[in-house]
Amino acid sequence: MSSDAARKRKRRESGVETATGPVQDNSFARTPLYLALAHDLEGRIRDGRLPLGSLLPPEPDLAAEFGVSRHTLRQAIQRLRRLGLVSAKKGVGTTICEADASSARRFVSASRADLSEQAEGTDFTIFESASVRARGSLASELACRPGREWFTLKGTRSEIGADRPMALDEVYVDPRLAETLKAMNPIRQAIFRLVEEVTGERIAEIRQTIRPVILDRPTAEVLNAQAGEPALKITRAYFSPSGRLLELSYQTLPADRFAYTTVLRDVTA
Amino acid sequence: MSSDAARKRKRRESGVETATGPVQDNSFARTPLYLALAHDLEGRIRDGRLPLGSLLPPEPDLAAEFGVSRHTLRQAIQRLRRLGLVSAKKGVGTTICEADASSARRFVSASRADLSEQAEGTDFTIFESASVRARGSLASELACRPGREWFTLKGTRSEIGADRPMALDEVYVDPRLAETLKAMNPIRQAIFRLVEEVTGERIAEIRQTIRPVILDRPTAEVLNAQAGEPALKITRAYFSPSGRLLELSYQTLPADRFAYTTVLRDVTA
DNA sequence: GAGAATTTGTTCGTATGTATG
DNA sequence: CCATACATACGAACAAATTCT
């Protein structure tokens, strides 16, 4: 209809500016409107015009400002959400929670191996468990207040038919899980699933750090490996939506039995 | 309007069945329609009613079958895409490319550190470069046909003001990049960006493997570190959308200077 | 504490653009 | 060139969560 011409005009007029300076000219490829919007917003966030920690203007306002429909604006915001720049909450608004969508964020991993800990087909065999209170270095590494009580497990993880364990696991969980966990040995489920079941809280985020270490004698013995060999040490912290730490685990994986593989896919396409 | 009542009725009638058997009753929480749809489709994919490798029915057909708008159906499909179950292509259709949305896929990473290689604020200083033909072990590790020509770079990567390098990099790229790369030293850009610029091909996927190693003497010397220390060895393979290998890199990172951190977020929320 | 206002989430409808075969 | 199938974009309305009065 005639609204089409009006639309086109509006698009030219809409306040979408490319983020920084001259910029590559993608006009030949006709960037979709919502991507241009996302790019614009990203720029505003990066340079602080939309300050970190603050709320985005309401969607209807932003849509009006850009001269686009709310639907299109929401597509742009959804993209920023996927990139981890903002997080929206019903009834509240959209918070800016990251300032840099550095090129590193362009890729998103979605790999089966991402959480090897919960790989199906492995048995977790507990050989030690106890109740502990977080003190000193543990408390600080857990980023929790000292004195909080945890239930800790130590055990080996092995693939079903394997003769040697694949990893040594050390796990800290809510004390409420003690009974459940002691009752099942070996454990075939991902432990964080059990945490969700027992505590009723959903795990929304996992922070994972990978470091190289050299196997010390006691660890090597448990793993039936040679002391002095290289290994990966993976630390995982499991958080509830509100940011509360629900589980912490350390995993030691000898080099000859495990490599950590991820596939990163481009999400800009 | 009156269409509202009709809508509600339709919803009850729509062929959305929960995936498996009795199923948890979420009716009290009123699952959004598009999630129910996604769940239903996921079930059909898992049990083979929608066979792996085949195309989904066209969106308008599916929408009609479920008795929902195309928009809602697309929301469901978008979810399946994020989970990696299907992949859509304009003019062709939506292909089913995975049968299991196993729990491992629940989390998706989006981290600044994901591609430390390209972290801004690092300099890559080349100290060796050459043209090579892939043979033997290299060719096999590259998963490329032997005899293909590559341009290889060796260099150190350091943070801007640091006195010691952070990593030793070994990179294999298309020979067309030789001139460009030799002309710039140090390199501040991510190399895979340059690959995209020069070859005109987009990098759509990166396969990344992390292993622990022990620093040997020559490597330790270059890095100004101690031989025998633990380090991470990260291998990255960069692929075009069609699956052609465009770049391969090895990176060695001493434990005391680097830890690999990722944040995995729940995408089911 | 009830209720109004605000803000994001869901869902419909419709039209047009663009890539593929 | 045409038909097909996904992609983008408009508009409108109601639902649900939160906050403020």
Side-chain angles (χ1 to χ4, degrees):
Chain A
M1 300 298 182
S2 65
S3 72
D4 187 24
R7 203 67 48 68
K8 286 252 170 70
R9 208 178 336 108
K10 215 178 238 171
R11 175 165 185 177
R12 287 284 178 287
E13 287 161 8
S14 71
V16 182
E17 309 143 18
T18 36
T20 51
V23 191
Q24 77 290 12
D25 180 16
N26 271 341
S27 55
F28 72 99
R30 267 268 299 179
T31 311
L33 233 189
Y34 75 94
L35 281 182
L37 281 190
H39 198 250
D40 185 311
L41 287 170
E42 193 186 314
R44 295 191 189 191
I45 291 171
R46 182 169 26 229
D47 66 22
R49 272 175 296 169
L50 290 171
L52 205 147
S54 68
L55 289 177
L56 234 52
E59 291 173 358
D61 296 8
L62 265 185
E65 182 190 335
F66 284 120
V68 302
S69 70
R70 194 180 152 215
H71 180 64
T72 302
L73 177 82
R74 276 178 64 79
Q75 273 185 290
I77 290 179
Q78 199 190 7
R79 202 185 136 71
L80 298 183
R81 291 216 270 172
R82 264 196 312 170
L83 294 173
L85 287 183
V86 303
S87 97
K89 208 171 172 191
K90 206 191 285 189
V92 182
T94 304
T95 313
I96 296 153
C97 56
E98 266 282 346
D100 71 323
S102 73
S103 44
R105 291 196 164 256
R106 210 178 119 196
F107 291 92
V108 150
S109 99
S111 160
R112 204 169 301 107
D114 249 13
L115 287 179
S116 71
E117 177 189 283
Q118 64 173 347
E120 291 164 20
T122 69
D123 277 340
F124 179 47
T125 311
I126 303 170
F127 61 73
E128 199 185 311
S129 67
S131 272
V132 294
R133 286 191 183 280
R135 295 165 302 174
S137 65
L138 183 62
S140 69
E141 203 166 356
L142 303 205
C144 80
R145 49 187 181 290
R148 177 166 163 194
E149 193 180 343
W150 293 86
F151 181 65
T152 179
L153 290 174
K154 225 175 265 189
T156 55
R157 186 171 294 278
S158 20
E159 296 188 83
I160 38 157
D163 51 341
R164 299 182 308 178
M166 181 181 81
L168 172 68
D169 284 16
E170 193 180 338
V171 184
Y172 293 82
V173 293
D174 193 292
R176 279 177 285 175
L177 277 133
E179 296 314 312
T180 316
L181 289 172
K182 275 193 275 201
M184 48 202 293
N185 194 3
I187 300 172
R188 287 215 145 131
Q189 254 179 304
I191 292 179
F192 82 86
R193 293 272 183 200
L194 295 172
V195 172
E196 287 183 325
E197 274 178 40
V198 173
T199 67
E201 286 196 271
R202 192 169 57 85
I203 286 174
E205 196 174 295
I206 306 175
R207 210 172 306 254
Q208 176 181 265
T209 299
I210 305 178
R211 288 192 189 80
V213 294
I214 291 178
L215 286 182
D216 57 22
R217 191 161 306 281
T219 307
E221 232 161 69
V222 173
L223 289 171
N224 196 6
Q226 288 291 321
E229 270 182 53
L232 289 181
K233 181 146 188 177
I234 304 185
T235 306
R236 295 196 182 93
Y238 300 77
F239 296 94
S240 73
S242 66
R244 231 172 65 86
L245 182 66
L246 297 178
E247 181 190 340
L248 187 92
S249 76
Y250 301 95
Q251 197 169 32
T252 307
L253 301 133
D256 59 336
R257 302 172 207 178
F258 184 81
Y260 182 90
T261 300
T262 331
V263 176
L264 307 166
R265 290 209 202 87
D266 192 341
V267 296
T268 60
Chain B
M1 305 296 178
S2 67
S3 71
D4 188 25
R7 202 68 46 69
K8 286 255 170 68
R9 207 179 337 107
K10 214 177 238 175
R11 174 163 189 181
R12 286 284 179 287
E13 289 162 5
S14 71
V16 182
E17 309 145 17
T18 34
T20 51
V23 191
Q24 77 292 13
D25 182 14
N26 271 341
S27 55
F28 72 98
R30 269 266 301 177
T31 310
L33 236 189
Y34 75 95
L35 282 182
L37 282 191
H39 199 251
D40 185 312
L41 288 170
E42 194 185 314
R44 295 190 189 190
I45 291 171
R46 186 177 16 238
D47 66 22
R49 271 175 297 169
L50 290 170
L52 206 148
S54 68
L55 289 176
L56 234 53
E59 290 175 357
D61 296 8
L62 265 185
E65 181 190 339
F66 284 121
V68 302
S69 73
R70 198 178 147 215
H71 182 63
T72 301
L73 177 81
R74 276 178 63 79
Q75 274 184 291
I77 290 178
Q78 198 191 7
R79 202 184 134 72
L80 298 183
R81 292 215 268 174
R82 265 196 312 171
L83 294 173
L85 289 182
V86 303
S87 97
K89 207 169 173 191
K90 208 189 288 190
V92 181
T94 305
T95 313
I96 297 152
C97 54
E98 265 282 345
D100 71 324
S102 76
S103 50
R105 289 197 167 257
R106 197 178 130 192
F107 291 93
V108 148
S109 90
S111 161
R112 199 173 311 110
D114 250 13
L115 288 178
S116 71
E117 177 189 282
Q118 64 173 348
E120 290 164 22
T122 69
D123 277 339
F124 180 46
T125 311
I126 304 170
F127 62 73
E128 199 185 310
S129 67
S131 273
V132 293
R133 289 192 180 279
R135 294 166 303 173
S137 66
L138 182 63
S140 70
E141 203 166 354
L142 303 206
C144 81
R145 50 187 181 290
R148 179 167 162 193
E149 194 178 345
W150 293 85
F151 181 65
T152 180
L153 291 174
K154 226 175 265 189
T156 56
R157 185 171 296 275
S158 23
E159 294 187 83
I160 39 159
D163 50 342
R164 297 183 309 179
M166 181 182 80
L168 172 67
D169 285 16
E170 192 180 338
V171 184
Y172 293 82
V173 292
D174 192 292
R176 279 176 286 177
L177 276 134
E179 296 315 313
T180 316
L181 288 172
K182 274 193 275 199
M184 48 202 292
N185 195 5
I187 300 173
R188 284 212 146 135
Q189 255 180 303
I191 292 179
F192 83 86
R193 296 268 182 205
L194 294 173
V195 172
E196 287 182 326
E197 274 177 38
V198 173
T199 67
E201 286 195 270
R202 192 171 56 84
I203 285 174
E205 197 174 295
I206 305 176
R207 210 172 307 253
Q208 178 180 260
T209 300
I210 304 178
R211 290 192 186 79
V213 294
I214 292 179
L215 285 182
D216 57 22
R217 191 161 306 281
T219 306
E221 232 161 71
V222 173
L223 289 172
N224 194 8
Q226 288 291 322
E229 270 181 56
L232 289 180
K233 181 145 190 177
I234 304 185
T235 306
R236 294 196 182 94
Y238 300 78
F239 295 94
S240 72
S242 65
R244 232 170 65 86
L245 182 67
L246 297 178
E247 181 188 340
L248 187 92
S249 76
Y250 300 95
Q251 196 168 32
T252 307
L253 301 133
D256 59 337
R257 300 172 209 178
F258 184 81
Y260 181 90
T261 300
T262 331
V263 176
L264 306 166
R265 292 217 193 79
D266 192 342
V267 295
T268 62

